[in-house]
Amino acid sequence: MTIKLDTTTAMQFQSDSNCRAMVFCAAESFDSTWKPADIAFPSNSELRCNQEEVKVNLKGLKNKPGSTRPADITPFLRKKTEFLNNVELIYALTTKESPQKYVLSVNLVQRKTIEMLVQALKSGKFLGKDRVVRESRCLPFFEIALSNLYQCKIERKTTT
């Protein structure tokens, strides 16, 4: 896969240290419907960017589908508009009878620090006591926490 950065993206890389180029990979599904897929690289694979091997864990945890993380290729990119970047995923041990195909994508992402996430939670919406009590009667707490994880923060009040 060949990537040429446009002017805006090249300037983002140069001005923002939290800007990252991440490689995502997933096994291709054979049915015609779109479904979310776990990040999964081929079992025996090697990732290269501009002829340099990207040394990252492409396997994830054993027997834990979805535990693989995307690969960060930012240090290997040429961050200028006039250069081409070559990203290669090399994998082996596929059979001719049932070859597994993979979908590869390189995405520009913004890395968020813990402090940035805490600030976003503090400035966002929050759940009041009445809503939490009402929902807790209907659902286990775990489900409430998951359903509202990115929508709100929990308001805490202490009494003395």
Side-chain angles (χ1 to χ4, degrees), residues 3-7 10-11 13-14 77-85:
I3 302 167
K4 184 175 181 182
L5 302 179
D6 60 17
T7 307
M11 287 175 44
F13 273 119
Q14 293 169 3
L77 283 181
R78 298 180 188 118
K79 299 169 189 81
K80 306 264 186 200
T81 56
E82 60 269 9
F83 292 111
L84 294 177
N85 292 285

Side-chain angles (χ1 to χ4, degrees), residues 5 16 23 33 35-36 41 47 56 88 104 118 124 126 129-130 134:
L5 302 179
D16 186 1
V23 176
T33 60
K35 291 186 253 180
F41 289 87
L47 183 64
V56 293
E88 300 172 290
L104 186 72
V118 168
F126 63 91
K129 177 183 172 185
D130 296 334
R134 186 175 61 247

